[in-house]
Amino acid sequence: MPNSSSITEFLLLAFADTRELQLLHFGLFLGIYLAALLGNGLILTAVACDHRLHTPMYFFLLNLALLDLGSISTILPKAMANSLWDTRAISYQGCAAQVSFFVFFIAAEFYVLTIMAYDRYIAICKPLHYGSLLSSRACAQMAAAAWGSGFLNAVLHTASTFSLPLCQGNVLDQFFCEIPHILKLSCSHAYLREAGLITFSFCVGTGCFVFIVLSYVQILRAVLRMPSEQGRHKAFSTCLPHLAVVSLFVSTGMFAYLKPPSTSSPSLNLLVSFLYSVVPPAVNPLIYSMRNKELKEALRKLLQCTRLQHR
């Protein structure tokens, strides 16, 4: 039986067997990827160029857009190449890199979403302390902590996973390299070490989720006590996009990892993994730009400047 030292590549799960469907999937992936690049790129440019958006909320939104770009760029280009060239292969080193970057971006993104919940809590529940609690230095430190924690997660999980002996072949039941599917190829009880790391990360993620929920309970109570309907509307307009992004991120991830084994099938696994790994980075810019007047105004000015430059 093969072991990890003899494995030079992994075989990913294909989206389709016929050439026509493969090309159709390539076109679909390309469209989604370009939409994600455009949407997140516009948010990055608007926040960087418009001085009115140089606030903690938009600073963290800029970080979120960067992480979205990173996570979708880790997965989709390889999926597009495999569909275009009719192959399922990914090198051992490429698989390790994909796992490392994906864990890094996903973990850091969830930490940034948690910080954004704290930002909204302070802005609405403790507005008089907003400037002191969320100073430029404090925001930079929190963002650095999120990115650093994501990096630490990536290093630990990648090192633990790819130090395992693999003797169950090299076929992954997933369209990208994902730790649970790599662990299925292990022939050693040492995989319990990585399972322990996953459990610890799950507990940390649960703690972040509980923090977000408690923050929004306090936010809702504060908003409902506001005497002005205009004030309530403004508060909701700044919170709803973040709440929608968190809901999309958490619901697709929970469905992917906590669905009953009896419902598993290759086609369902592909669909679910696509939903939680590809859809959020592509949809997040749309969610944030729909209800945010300041961001929409900045994007409108940015597009106008772009048109004028091309005349």
Side-chain angles (χ1 to χ4, degrees):
M1 292 196 302
N3 57 41
S4 56
S5 62
S6 65
I7 292 178
T8 60
E9 66 178 20
F10 292 96
L11 297 179
L12 302 174
L13 192 62
F15 273 92
D17 296 326
T18 63
R19 190 62 183 146
E20 291 77 9
L21 285 177
Q22 288 173 346
L23 293 176
L24 179 64
H25 283 125
F26 169 77
L28 175 65
F29 295 157
L30 180 61
I32 293 174
Y33 187 53
L34 291 177
L37 291 179
L38 177 62
N40 287 291
L42 284 173
I43 286 180
L44 288 172
T45 307
V47 173
C49 296
D50 194 325
H51 66 90
R52 293 174 303 170
L53 301 185
H54 293 175
T55 64
M57 182 176 76
Y58 292 107
F59 171 73
F60 294 128
L61 179 58
L62 182 144
N63 280 266
L64 184 69
L66 282 172
L67 292 166
D68 279 336
L69 281 176
S71 64
I72 199 169
S73 297
T74 301
I75 293 174
L76 269 194
K78 181 59 180 174
M80 287 190 293
N82 282 4
S83 294
L84 183 62
W85 303 114
D86 189 17
T87 180
R88 297 168 54 198
I90 183 171
S91 68
Y92 187 90
Q93 294 79 7
C95 188
Q98 196 173 67
V99 166
S100 180
F101 280 111
F102 186 68
V103 172
F104 166 57
F105 288 121
I106 289 296
E109 180 163 342
F110 196 45
Y111 297 144
V112 167
L113 287 172
T114 305
I115 295 170
M116 292 174 79
Y118 175 72
D119 166 73
R120 292 298 85 209
Y121 165 74
I122 298 297
I124 294 172
C125 299
K126 299 180 183 295
L128 297 179
H129 301 282
Y130 189 77
S132 58
L133 292 175
L134 286 165
S135 62
S136 298
R137 183 176 180 181
C139 290
Q141 289 174 341
M142 286 188 283
W147 286 76
S149 300
F151 177 75
L152 183 61
N153 265 281
V155 170
L156 290 175
H157 283 291
T158 306
S160 177
T161 300
F162 286 90
S163 65
L164 297 174
L166 306 177
C167 62
Q168 303 294 328
N170 66 337
V171 179
L172 300 177
D173 293 328
Q174 182 58 285
F175 79 98
F176 65 97
C177 287
E178 194 176 32
I179 290 175
H181 295 278
I182 298 173
L183 293 182
K184 291 179 182 178
L185 306 180
S186 174
C187 54
S188 167
H189 290 296
Y191 77 88
L192 293 174
R193 176 182 57 196
E194 173 58 22
L197 277 174
I198 292 175
T199 303
F200 175 75
S201 296
F202 178 78
C203 291
V204 173
T206 302
C208 291
F209 178 68
V210 170
F211 178 85
I212 292 172
V213 171
L214 292 177
S215 297
Y216 271 100
V217 169
Q218 296 299 318
I219 288 170
L220 182 61
R221 291 174 60 185
V223 170
L224 292 178
R225 289 198 299 264
M226 289 180 178
S228 167
E229 183 178 348
Q230 184 179 1
R232 290 195 297 270
H233 182 269
K234 183 177 180 180
F236 276 127
S237 67
T238 62
C239 291
L240 286 178
H242 175 257
L243 197 56
V245 168
V246 170
S247 300
L248 180 64
F249 186 91
V250 172
S251 61
T252 53
M254 288 180 64
F255 186 68
Y257 286 103
L258 301 181
K259 68 181 186 297
S262 58
T263 64
S264 294
S265 67
S267 57
L268 180 61
N269 289 338
L270 278 176
L271 177 61
V272 170
S273 59
F274 182 82
L275 285 176
Y276 91 86
S277 61
V278 174
V279 172
V283 173
N284 286 351
L286 181 62
I287 293 174
Y288 266 101
S289 60
M290 280 179 63
R291 293 186 59 87
N292 192 308
K293 291 182 179 179
E294 291 178 332
L295 185 58
K296 284 196 290 188
E297 180 66 19
L299 289 172
R300 185 181 65 80
K301 288 185 176 180
L302 179 64
L303 293 174
Q304 284 181 343
C305 291
T306 304
R307 291 196 199 99
L308 289 174
Q309 289 176 355
H310 284 84
R311 285 182 180 177

